[in-house]
Amino acid sequence: KINPRRIDELEKTVKHDVIAFLSSITEQVGEAGRYLHWGMTSADLTDTALAVVLRQASDILIDDLSALMTVLEKQALQHKATIMMGRSHGVHGEPITFGLKLAIWYEEVRRNRLRLCQAREEIAFGKISGSMGTYAHLSPAVEEAVLQRLGLQPEPVANQIVQRDRHAHYMQVLALIAASLEKFAIEIRHLQRTEVLEAEEPFEVGQKGSSSMPHKRNPIGCENICGLSRVIRANAMSALENVPLWHERDISHSSVERIILPDTTLLLDFMLHRLTKIIDGLCVYPKKMAENMEKSSGVVYSQKLLLLLIQKGMKREAAYQIVQEMALGVLEKKRGAKAGSFKKEAVSNPGLLSQLSKDEILACFDPKAYLKQVDVIYKRVFH
């Protein structure tokens, strides 16, 4: 039996956790204890056990990613035609749908799930090859038999340890997943800003947002995810630092891994559960999305006019100048708190009317025209 209290007692004297563990077992098995750990080194035991634990942790995280994909798909299908403003540099670009934003997240999570499945295979290697990895006191057949029972692959060539590039790669994958979660969370935070308010985290009955301001509904769940992502990325850097060890090994990586491996897998599990719950209960406001689209006074349809002028035979530079001057003029009026309408300017602009009819101009201001390929995109993603 494993007796943690006895192990702790022994470790106070021997100052070596594996020896304390082995001694506590040897005390119980009698004469046969002399064969325990025969020809092995500590890392044969600990690295092999670590591979088992990381594989099990991977299985949990892979299930978590699948659960997140499920709610993302549900919301993406629900908001496939929910028109909103697409933004680049934080500035209005052209119309998109909220469903397309979620479809992008779904596809990114799918890629991350694939990466983790691959990293799970790369981390599932153990070794029982002795102090310098030469099988000086054990046959490779022993290693193969034991690792087969554990569901692991033998490290093809090792020194005293399994090489830490495997663990560093595993941690980079976890860090990449965390970075994706932060990306999604920060977008929700932006959309929840008072001036935007197109979507926000669910706010449960009885929940309070501020100790001083009763009106507050803060995106605390997403902020929490963004903060924890920083911790995971920092842990991934520590894993990279563990790769270069002295000669056949030193122990500088050990204390680091006792922190970063359990902490990172636990944190990522927590973050995935939290974001899945947020996405599943996300509050989406299509009316506010429509209102925000009007805030740029219709200039977001400028490319439609530009391309139509080019199609009619105008040189691109000349067409661009006409449309840009008109659009910037409308925005300048708006900055001066004056009413402005890109559509009204367009249907009365001589440069446009010399090339286009009013009906052709007005047809450029239909947001649904930007979404004609949404079905094609969805078939690529949700096949």
PDB file of all heavy atoms in Angstrom, residues 91-115:
ATOM      1  N   VAL A  91     -12.550  50.079 -36.447  1.00  0.00           N
ATOM      2  CA  VAL A  91     -13.341  51.017 -37.242  1.00  0.00           C
ATOM      3  C   VAL A  91     -14.281  50.238 -38.158  1.00  0.00           C
ATOM      4  O   VAL A  91     -13.927  49.154 -38.648  1.00  0.00           O
ATOM      5  CB  VAL A  91     -12.404  51.934 -38.068  1.00  0.00           C
ATOM      6  CG1 VAL A  91     -13.202  52.904 -38.935  1.00  0.00           C
ATOM      7  CG2 VAL A  91     -11.464  52.704 -37.141  1.00  0.00           C
ATOM      8  N   HIS A  92     -15.462  50.779 -38.402  1.00  0.00           N
ATOM      9  CA  HIS A  92     -16.438  50.113 -39.263  1.00  0.00           C
ATOM     10  C   HIS A  92     -15.825  49.753 -40.607  1.00  0.00           C
ATOM     11  O   HIS A  92     -15.170  50.576 -41.258  1.00  0.00           O
ATOM     12  CB  HIS A  92     -17.644  51.029 -39.482  1.00  0.00           C
ATOM     13  CG  HIS A  92     -18.577  51.075 -38.310  1.00  0.00           C
ATOM     14  ND1 HIS A  92     -19.865  51.538 -38.392  1.00  0.00           N
ATOM     15  CD2 HIS A  92     -18.406  50.681 -37.021  1.00  0.00           C
ATOM     16  CE1 HIS A  92     -20.445  51.452 -37.201  1.00  0.00           C
ATOM     17  NE2 HIS A  92     -19.575  50.942 -36.352  1.00  0.00           N
ATOM     18  N   GLY A  93     -16.046  48.514 -41.018  1.00  0.00           N
ATOM     19  CA  GLY A  93     -15.559  48.031 -42.305  1.00  0.00           C
ATOM     20  C   GLY A  93     -16.711  47.776 -43.252  1.00  0.00           C
ATOM     21  O   GLY A  93     -17.169  48.677 -43.955  1.00  0.00           O
ATOM     22  N   GLU A  94     -17.206  46.538 -43.275  1.00  0.00           N
ATOM     23  CA  GLU A  94     -18.370  46.168 -44.090  1.00  0.00           C
ATOM     24  C   GLU A  94     -19.234  45.208 -43.276  1.00  0.00           C
ATOM     25  O   GLU A  94     -18.767  44.604 -42.302  1.00  0.00           O
ATOM     26  CB  GLU A  94     -17.928  45.507 -45.402  1.00  0.00           C
ATOM     27  CG  GLU A  94     -17.273  46.452 -46.372  1.00  0.00           C
ATOM     28  CD  GLU A  94     -16.936  45.807 -47.719  1.00  0.00           C
ATOM     29  OE1 GLU A  94     -16.805  44.569 -47.773  1.00  0.00           O
ATOM     30  OE2 GLU A  94     -16.797  46.548 -48.707  1.00  0.00           O
ATOM     31  N   PRO A  95     -20.499  45.032 -43.673  1.00  0.00           N
ATOM     32  CA  PRO A  95     -21.393  44.150 -42.915  1.00  0.00           C
ATOM     33  C   PRO A  95     -20.926  42.692 -42.931  1.00  0.00           C
ATOM     34  O   PRO A  95     -20.403  42.198 -43.931  1.00  0.00           O
ATOM     35  CB  PRO A  95     -22.733  44.302 -43.644  1.00  0.00           C
ATOM     36  CG  PRO A  95     -22.650  45.629 -44.329  1.00  0.00           C
ATOM     37  CD  PRO A  95     -21.216  45.764 -44.736  1.00  0.00           C
ATOM     38  N   ILE A  96     -21.113  42.042 -41.803  1.00  0.00           N
ATOM     39  CA  ILE A  96     -20.920  40.598 -41.658  1.00  0.00           C
ATOM     40  C   ILE A  96     -22.123  40.065 -40.890  1.00  0.00           C
ATOM     41  O   ILE A  96     -23.111  40.782 -40.715  1.00  0.00           O
ATOM     42  CB  ILE A  96     -19.611  40.266 -40.904  1.00  0.00           C
ATOM     43  CG1 ILE A  96     -19.648  40.856 -39.479  1.00  0.00           C
ATOM     44  CG2 ILE A  96     -18.404  40.784 -41.665  1.00  0.00           C
ATOM     45  CD1 ILE A  96     -18.517  40.389 -38.588  1.00  0.00           C
ATOM     46  N   THR A  97     -22.058  38.817 -40.442  1.00  0.00           N
ATOM     47  CA  THR A  97     -23.066  38.335 -39.501  1.00  0.00           C
ATOM     48  C   THR A  97     -22.363  37.881 -38.227  1.00  0.00           C
ATOM     49  O   THR A  97     -21.180  37.510 -38.253  1.00  0.00           O
ATOM     50  CB  THR A  97     -23.903  37.165 -40.053  1.00  0.00           C
ATOM     51  OG1 THR A  97     -23.124  35.954 -40.026  1.00  0.00           O
ATOM     52  CG2 THR A  97     -24.383  37.440 -41.459  1.00  0.00           C
ATOM     53  N   PHE A  98     -23.095  37.923 -37.144  1.00  0.00           N
ATOM     54  CA  PHE A  98     -22.533  37.464 -35.874  1.00  0.00           C
ATOM     55  C   PHE A  98     -22.215  35.975 -35.953  1.00  0.00           C
ATOM     56  O   PHE A  98     -21.255  35.504 -35.345  1.00  0.00           O
ATOM     57  CB  PHE A  98     -23.514  37.743 -34.732  1.00  0.00           C
ATOM     58  CG  PHE A  98     -22.941  37.499 -33.372  1.00  0.00           C
ATOM     59  CD1 PHE A  98     -21.819  38.177 -32.944  1.00  0.00           C
ATOM     60  CD2 PHE A  98     -23.516  36.576 -32.511  1.00  0.00           C
ATOM     61  CE1 PHE A  98     -21.266  37.949 -31.687  1.00  0.00           C
ATOM     62  CE2 PHE A  98     -22.983  36.337 -31.250  1.00  0.00           C
ATOM     63  CZ  PHE A  98     -21.855  37.030 -30.834  1.00  0.00           C
ATOM     64  N   GLY A  99     -23.008  35.256 -36.739  1.00  0.00           N
ATOM     65  CA  GLY A  99     -22.756  33.830 -36.916  1.00  0.00           C
ATOM     66  C   GLY A  99     -21.404  33.555 -37.551  1.00  0.00           C
ATOM     67  O   GLY A  99     -20.723  32.598 -37.195  1.00  0.00           O
ATOM     68  N   LEU A 100     -20.994  34.393 -38.500  1.00  0.00           N
ATOM     69  CA  LEU A 100     -19.687  34.220 -39.130  1.00  0.00           C
ATOM     70  C   LEU A 100     -18.559  34.403 -38.122  1.00  0.00           C
ATOM     71  O   LEU A 100     -17.555  33.682 -38.158  1.00  0.00           O
ATOM     72  CB  LEU A 100     -19.526  35.215 -40.279  1.00  0.00           C
ATOM     73  CG  LEU A 100     -20.232  34.865 -41.589  1.00  0.00           C
ATOM     74  CD1 LEU A 100     -20.133  36.025 -42.564  1.00  0.00           C
ATOM     75  CD2 LEU A 100     -19.650  33.601 -42.201  1.00  0.00           C
ATOM     76  N   LYS A 101     -18.719  35.344 -37.210  1.00  0.00           N
ATOM     77  CA  LYS A 101     -17.715  35.541 -36.162  1.00  0.00           C
ATOM     78  C   LYS A 101     -17.584  34.274 -35.331  1.00  0.00           C
ATOM     79  O   LYS A 101     -16.483  33.809 -35.015  1.00  0.00           O
ATOM     80  CB  LYS A 101     -18.135  36.725 -35.283  1.00  0.00           C
ATOM     81  CG  LYS A 101     -17.070  37.194 -34.301  1.00  0.00           C
ATOM     82  CD  LYS A 101     -17.610  38.291 -33.400  1.00  0.00           C
ATOM     83  CE  LYS A 101     -17.911  39.554 -34.151  1.00  0.00           C
ATOM     84  NZ  LYS A 101     -16.667  40.283 -34.554  1.00  0.00           N
ATOM     85  N   LEU A 102     -18.723  33.681 -34.977  1.00  0.00           N
ATOM     86  CA  LEU A 102     -18.720  32.462 -34.172  1.00  0.00           C
ATOM     87  C   LEU A 102     -18.198  31.266 -34.967  1.00  0.00           C
ATOM     88  O   LEU A 102     -17.560  30.374 -34.404  1.00  0.00           O
ATOM     89  CB  LEU A 102     -20.133  32.182 -33.657  1.00  0.00           C
ATOM     90  CG  LEU A 102     -20.681  33.225 -32.675  1.00  0.00           C
ATOM     91  CD1 LEU A 102     -22.176  33.006 -32.460  1.00  0.00           C
ATOM     92  CD2 LEU A 102     -19.942  33.191 -31.352  1.00  0.00           C
ATOM     93  N   ALA A 103     -18.467  31.248 -36.266  1.00  0.00           N
ATOM     94  CA  ALA A 103     -17.958  30.162 -37.109  1.00  0.00           C
ATOM     95  C   ALA A 103     -16.430  30.193 -37.159  1.00  0.00           C
ATOM     96  O   ALA A 103     -15.773  29.140 -37.174  1.00  0.00           O
ATOM     97  CB  ALA A 103     -18.535  30.269 -38.516  1.00  0.00           C
ATOM     98  N   ILE A 104     -15.862  31.397 -37.187  1.00  0.00           N
ATOM     99  CA  ILE A 104     -14.408  31.530 -37.140  1.00  0.00           C
ATOM    100  C   ILE A 104     -13.868  30.943 -35.844  1.00  0.00           C
ATOM    101  O   ILE A 104     -12.865  30.223 -35.837  1.00  0.00           O
ATOM    102  CB  ILE A 104     -13.996  33.008 -37.281  1.00  0.00           C
ATOM    103  CG1 ILE A 104     -14.270  33.487 -38.704  1.00  0.00           C
ATOM    104  CG2 ILE A 104     -12.532  33.207 -36.912  1.00  0.00           C
ATOM    105  CD1 ILE A 104     -14.095  34.976 -38.909  1.00  0.00           C
ATOM    106  N   TRP A 105     -14.526  31.235 -34.733  1.00  0.00           N
ATOM    107  CA  TRP A 105     -14.104  30.694 -33.435  1.00  0.00           C
ATOM    108  C   TRP A 105     -14.218  29.172 -33.423  1.00  0.00           C
ATOM    109  O   TRP A 105     -13.337  28.482 -32.927  1.00  0.00           O
ATOM    110  CB  TRP A 105     -14.947  31.290 -32.316  1.00  0.00           C
ATOM    111  CG  TRP A 105     -14.815  32.772 -32.162  1.00  0.00           C
ATOM    112  CD1 TRP A 105     -14.019  33.615 -32.904  1.00  0.00           C
ATOM    113  CD2 TRP A 105     -15.498  33.609 -31.225  1.00  0.00           C
ATOM    114  NE1 TRP A 105     -14.172  34.903 -32.478  1.00  0.00           N
ATOM    115  CE2 TRP A 105     -15.067  34.945 -31.455  1.00  0.00           C
ATOM    116  CE3 TRP A 105     -16.430  33.368 -30.228  1.00  0.00           C
ATOM    117  CZ2 TRP A 105     -15.543  36.018 -30.706  1.00  0.00           C
ATOM    118  CZ3 TRP A 105     -16.905  34.437 -29.482  1.00  0.00           C
ATOM    119  CH2 TRP A 105     -16.458  35.741 -29.719  1.00  0.00           C
ATOM    120  N   TYR A 106     -15.324  28.664 -33.966  1.00  0.00           N
ATOM    121  CA  TYR A 106     -15.531  27.214 -34.020  1.00  0.00           C
ATOM    122  C   TYR A 106     -14.385  26.533 -34.760  1.00  0.00           C
ATOM    123  O   TYR A 106     -13.831  25.532 -34.300  1.00  0.00           O
ATOM    124  CB  TYR A 106     -16.863  26.913 -34.704  1.00  0.00           C
ATOM    125  CG  TYR A 106     -17.123  25.441 -34.969  1.00  0.00           C
ATOM    126  CD1 TYR A 106     -17.815  24.670 -34.047  1.00  0.00           C
ATOM    127  CD2 TYR A 106     -16.675  24.835 -36.142  1.00  0.00           C
ATOM    128  CE1 TYR A 106     -18.050  23.317 -34.283  1.00  0.00           C
ATOM    129  CE2 TYR A 106     -16.896  23.490 -36.379  1.00  0.00           C
ATOM    130  CZ  TYR A 106     -17.590  22.735 -35.454  1.00  0.00           C
ATOM    131  OH  TYR A 106     -17.815  21.398 -35.682  1.00  0.00           O
ATOM    132  N   GLU A 107     -14.038  27.081 -35.922  1.00  0.00           N
ATOM    133  CA  GLU A 107     -12.980  26.471 -36.735  1.00  0.00           C
ATOM    134  C   GLU A 107     -11.637  26.549 -36.024  1.00  0.00           C
ATOM    135  O   GLU A 107     -10.818  25.623 -36.118  1.00  0.00           O
ATOM    136  CB  GLU A 107     -12.921  27.171 -38.098  1.00  0.00           C
ATOM    137  CG  GLU A 107     -11.901  26.594 -39.070  1.00  0.00           C
ATOM    138  CD  GLU A 107     -12.209  25.171 -39.495  1.00  0.00           C
ATOM    139  OE1 GLU A 107     -13.338  24.690 -39.243  1.00  0.00           O
ATOM    140  OE2 GLU A 107     -11.310  24.536 -40.085  1.00  0.00           O
ATOM    141  N   GLU A 108     -11.394  27.632 -35.287  1.00  0.00           N
ATOM    142  CA  GLU A 108     -10.140  27.760 -34.549  1.00  0.00           C
ATOM    143  C   GLU A 108     -10.071  26.746 -33.411  1.00  0.00           C
ATOM    144  O   GLU A 108      -9.012  26.152 -33.168  1.00  0.00           O
ATOM    145  CB  GLU A 108     -10.000  29.187 -34.010  1.00  0.00           C
ATOM    146  CG  GLU A 108      -8.651  29.482 -33.401  1.00  0.00           C
ATOM    147  CD  GLU A 108      -8.389  30.957 -33.227  1.00  0.00           C
ATOM    148  OE1 GLU A 108      -8.996  31.772 -33.950  1.00  0.00           O
ATOM    149  OE2 GLU A 108      -7.554  31.319 -32.367  1.00  0.00           O
ATOM    150  N   VAL A 109     -11.181  26.546 -32.728  1.00  0.00           N
ATOM    151  CA  VAL A 109     -11.220  25.542 -31.661  1.00  0.00           C
ATOM    152  C   VAL A 109     -11.026  24.147 -32.244  1.00  0.00           C
ATOM    153  O   VAL A 109     -10.348  23.298 -31.652  1.00  0.00           O
ATOM    154  CB  VAL A 109     -12.541  25.630 -30.865  1.00  0.00           C
ATOM    155  CG1 VAL A 109     -12.635  24.493 -29.841  1.00  0.00           C
ATOM    156  CG2 VAL A 109     -12.647  26.972 -30.148  1.00  0.00           C
ATOM    157  N   ARG A 110     -11.600  23.903 -33.422  1.00  0.00           N
ATOM    158  CA  ARG A 110     -11.412  22.605 -34.078  1.00  0.00           C
ATOM    159  C   ARG A 110      -9.922  22.358 -34.362  1.00  0.00           C
ATOM    160  O   ARG A 110      -9.406  21.258 -34.133  1.00  0.00           O
ATOM    161  CB  ARG A 110     -12.210  22.545 -35.381  1.00  0.00           C
ATOM    162  CG  ARG A 110     -12.201  21.179 -36.057  1.00  0.00           C
ATOM    163  CD  ARG A 110     -12.624  21.253 -37.502  1.00  0.00           C
ATOM    164  NE  ARG A 110     -11.684  22.028 -38.298  1.00  0.00           N
ATOM    165  CZ  ARG A 110     -10.506  21.576 -38.725  1.00  0.00           C
ATOM    166  NH1 ARG A 110     -10.118  20.344 -38.430  1.00  0.00           N
ATOM    167  NH2 ARG A 110      -9.712  22.361 -39.437  1.00  0.00           N
ATOM    168  N   ARG A 111      -9.240  23.389 -34.850  1.00  0.00           N
ATOM    169  CA  ARG A 111      -7.799  23.239 -35.114  1.00  0.00           C
ATOM    170  C   ARG A 111      -7.043  22.995 -33.812  1.00  0.00           C
ATOM    171  O   ARG A 111      -6.120  22.169 -33.776  1.00  0.00           O
ATOM    172  CB  ARG A 111      -7.247  24.491 -35.809  1.00  0.00           C
ATOM    173  CG  ARG A 111      -7.739  24.687 -37.225  1.00  0.00           C
ATOM    174  CD  ARG A 111      -6.910  25.729 -37.967  1.00  0.00           C
ATOM    175  NE  ARG A 111      -6.960  27.045 -37.343  1.00  0.00           N
ATOM    176  CZ  ARG A 111      -7.888  27.960 -37.599  1.00  0.00           C
ATOM    177  NH1 ARG A 111      -8.869  27.697 -38.461  1.00  0.00           N
ATOM    178  NH2 ARG A 111      -7.856  29.138 -37.012  1.00  0.00           N
ATOM    179  N   ASN A 112      -7.412  23.702 -32.779  1.00  0.00           N
ATOM    180  CA  ASN A 112      -6.741  23.512 -31.494  1.00  0.00           C
ATOM    181  C   ASN A 112      -6.992  22.116 -30.924  1.00  0.00           C
ATOM    182  O   ASN A 112      -6.112  21.528 -30.293  1.00  0.00           O
ATOM    183  CB  ASN A 112      -7.195  24.575 -30.492  1.00  0.00           C
ATOM    184  CG  ASN A 112      -6.479  25.895 -30.693  1.00  0.00           C
ATOM    185  OD1 ASN A 112      -5.325  25.934 -31.109  1.00  0.00           O
ATOM    186  ND2 ASN A 112      -7.156  26.990 -30.407  1.00  0.00           N
ATOM    187  N   ARG A 113      -8.176  21.605 -31.159  1.00  0.00           N
ATOM    188  CA  ARG A 113      -8.478  20.246 -30.700  1.00  0.00           C
ATOM    189  C   ARG A 113      -7.595  19.242 -31.435  1.00  0.00           C
ATOM    190  O   ARG A 113      -7.065  18.302 -30.832  1.00  0.00           O
ATOM    191  CB  ARG A 113      -9.951  19.928 -30.929  1.00  0.00           C
ATOM    192  CG  ARG A 113     -10.398  18.589 -30.335  1.00  0.00           C
ATOM    193  CD  ARG A 113     -11.877  18.334 -30.627  1.00  0.00           C
ATOM    194  NE  ARG A 113     -12.317  17.108 -30.018  1.00  0.00           N
ATOM    195  CZ  ARG A 113     -12.136  15.886 -30.518  1.00  0.00           C
ATOM    196  NH1 ARG A 113     -11.498  15.749 -31.678  1.00  0.00           N
ATOM    197  NH2 ARG A 113     -12.586  14.814 -29.896  1.00  0.00           N
ATOM    198  N   LEU A 114      -7.419  19.441 -32.732  1.00  0.00           N
ATOM    199  CA  LEU A 114      -6.546  18.573 -33.518  1.00  0.00           C
ATOM    200  C   LEU A 114      -5.104  18.673 -33.024  1.00  0.00           C
ATOM    201  O   LEU A 114      -4.409  17.654 -32.896  1.00  0.00           O
ATOM    202  CB  LEU A 114      -6.635  18.950 -35.000  1.00  0.00           C
ATOM    203  CG  LEU A 114      -5.716  18.184 -35.958  1.00  0.00           C
ATOM    204  CD1 LEU A 114      -6.015  16.694 -35.918  1.00  0.00           C
ATOM    205  CD2 LEU A 114      -5.857  18.723 -37.381  1.00  0.00           C
ATOM    206  N   ARG A 115      -4.657  19.898 -32.749  1.00  0.00           N
ATOM    207  CA  ARG A 115      -3.296  20.082 -32.230  1.00  0.00           C
ATOM    208  C   ARG A 115      -3.106  19.346 -30.910  1.00  0.00           C
ATOM    209  O   ARG A 115      -2.057  18.732 -30.676  1.00  0.00           O
ATOM    210  CB  ARG A 115      -3.011  21.570 -32.045  1.00  0.00           C
ATOM    211  CG  ARG A 115      -2.918  22.366 -33.340  1.00  0.00           C
ATOM    212  CD  ARG A 115      -2.686  23.834 -33.063  1.00  0.00           C
ATOM    213  NE  ARG A 115      -2.672  24.594 -34.309  1.00  0.00           N
ATOM    214  CZ  ARG A 115      -3.515  25.589 -34.599  1.00  0.00           C
ATOM    215  NH1 ARG A 115      -4.436  25.955 -33.725  1.00  0.00           N
ATOM    216  NH2 ARG A 115      -3.433  26.216 -35.753  1.00  0.00           N
TER     217      ARG A 115
END
